[in-house]
């Protein structure tokens, strides 16, 4: 793997911990895009730091929601995907409840 995972990635007994299937998919997508060279890991990590820092301190802390926000921002800011395409994709996924 060409990526160095952030220290605060949820783990249990050293193994990555995902509460919902979408979390592992978002994780895998970010890592795969970085390993393929389509996403700069440092850009993603900077977005992740910003997403976590900007969170509502009164809201429950859900790490992978910030991960997904950072991934979306990094993909748009680096031109991997445009906002219109991203919004359409998110809408499509949200319409299928099994995701």
């Amino acid at each position: 793997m060409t990526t160095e995972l952030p220290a605060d990635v949820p783990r249990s007994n050293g193994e990555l911990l995902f509460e919902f299937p979408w979390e592992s998919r978002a994780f895998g997508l970010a890592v795969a895009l970085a390993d393929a060279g389509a996403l700069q890991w440092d850009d993603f990590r900077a977005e992740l730091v910003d997403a976590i820092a900007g969170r509502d301190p009164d809201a429950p802390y859900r790490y992978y929601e910030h991960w997904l926000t950072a991934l979306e921002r990094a993909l748009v800011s680096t031109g991997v995907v445009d906002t219109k395409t991203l919004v359409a994709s998110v809408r499509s996924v949200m319409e299928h409840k099994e995701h």
Side-chain angles (χ1 to χ4, degrees), residues 7-19 64:
D8 62 344
V9 172
R11 296 176 188 267
S12 176
N13 294 322
E15 297 293 321
L16 294 174
L17 181 63
F18 304 103
E19 187 175 351
Y64 286 107

Side-chain angles (χ1 to χ4, degrees), residues 30-52:
V31 172
L33 287 169
D35 284 348
L39 177 68
Q40 294 299 312
W41 192 250
D42 288 341
D43 294 338
F44 168 74
R45 287 183 65 155
E47 292 289 358
L48 181 58
V49 168
D50 287 347
I52 292 170

